[in-house]
Every structure is written in C-alpha cells, then in structure tokens.
Amino acid sequence: MTEHANFIRRAIELAHHNAIVEKVGGPFGCVIVQNGEVIAEGVNQVLSQHDPTSHGEIVAIRAACQKRESHILSGCTLYTSCEPCPMCYAAAWWARIDAVYYAATIQDAKDYGDFDDVAIYQAINLPGPDRPLPAVEVGRHEMRKVWQEFHALSDRLHY
C-alpha cells in the first residue's frame, strides 16, 4: 500500500501546485504508472487551455499514450487527486488502464469546489430526452447503415 500512497501523494502535490501555488486550474493532478515508474503526469488545464476536456486525467492519458505510441494503456495504473468524472473514467476505461486510485471523492469536489460531477453521474442514468442536457436521437436509420457497413468490413479498424 505504500507504493499506492506515494503515487497518490504525487497526484495531490500536482493538484496543490496547480490550484494553490500557480492558480491556473482546479485542484486536480494525475500520474500514470507502469512497472512502478511514472510514465506521465497531468494537471487540470481547463481554464488555461480554454478546453473543458483538459482534465488532469485526460492530460496524463494523452501524454502516456504518446509515450507508448498507442491508445492502449494496459499494464498501467492511474492515480488521481480526485475520483474521476464520467469523462475521465470513460477515458481510463477506453485506454484499458488496469486500475484507478483516487484521493478525494466526487462529493468532496462538489462540497468544496462546486464541481458538478455528481449531477453528471446522475444525469447519465436518465433516458436521453430526460437529461438536464437533453440527448435526442435523430437519424438512427441512416447511421445504422454506416454501422452495418463498418461491421461488415474485413479490414476495419479495431479499437
């Protein structure tokens, strides 16, 4: 457990530096580890980059993927200062990261920073049209044809 604590401490240091020292973004830091070594780090850059997807985890995942020259990060562990939002959790899932360790919870982020991750998790469970940001299906018939054609390709790209 000491190894996990050391990597979490580094994620917390990054979060503290980003939010308290530099004051350039939220208190979110992340490290990605492979074979006991940090291969990538990231901090929240949403405000500094004017990009709502530049969360610490996303920044770290992008850097790790570039380093490994692959979109697959199996064999890696993600350590983050806060429980991942739905986007970051999905990115870790899609990157095939082995495990995620976090310090604070999404409830802590809501209570102390007014972040809306809890509401997003709740909204995702609602039917599309009932979500606070409605998601309405249009053109499914036409798009299913594309999916079917993609599915039938013998040389299609695999994720």
Side-chain angles (χ1 to χ4, degrees):
M1 198 58 162
T2 304
E3 183 176 272
H4 297 307
N6 289 336
F7 294 128
I8 282 291
R9 274 192 211 98
R10 178 61 184 152
I12 293 169
E13 287 171 5
L14 291 167
H16 181 269
H17 187 78
N18 196 58
I20 308 302
V21 177
E22 294 292 325
K23 296 182 181 173
V24 293
F28 301 100
C30 178
V31 296
I32 297 180
V33 175
Q34 179 182 16
N35 299 325
E37 292 185 32
V38 174
I39 65 165
E41 296 183 339
V43 294
N44 180 280
Q45 298 178 3
V46 169
L47 300 177
S48 64
Q49 296 297 312
H50 312 290
D51 180 353
T53 68
S54 287
H55 291 198
E57 296 93 335
I58 299 297
V59 171
I61 288 169
R62 288 174 180 159
C65 287
Q66 289 299 307
K67 183 169 188 168
R68 286 187 58 174
E69 297 182 347
S70 175
H71 66 285
I72 301 296
L73 296 176
S74 58
C76 294
T77 304
L78 186 147
Y79 295 88
T80 183
S81 60
C82 190
E83 184 177 5
C85 74
M87 175 184 66
C88 293
Y89 182 82
W93 178 294
W94 287 327
R96 306 297 187 248
I97 287 175
D98 291 356
V100 173
Y101 292 85
Y102 61 88
T105 66
I106 57 170
Q107 189 62 50
D108 295 330
K110 179 178 178 10
D111 291 346
Y112 301 109
D114 297 320
F115 288 91
D116 53 4
D117 300 7
V118 172
I120 296 169
Y121 271 112
Q122 292 168 342
I124 288 171
N125 288 319
L126 297 173
D130 296 340
R131 295 176 187 160
L133 172 59
V136 181
E137 176 189 308
V138 178
R140 182 176 181 204
H141 178 73
E142 292 88 347
M143 187 57 207
R144 282 191 63 169
K145 290 178 184 176
V146 175
W147 276 113
Q148 291 165 351
E149 187 176 349
F150 178 76
H151 181 74
L153 288 174
S154 61
D155 61 344
R156 76 172 186 243
L157 296 174
H158 290 276
Y159 291 82

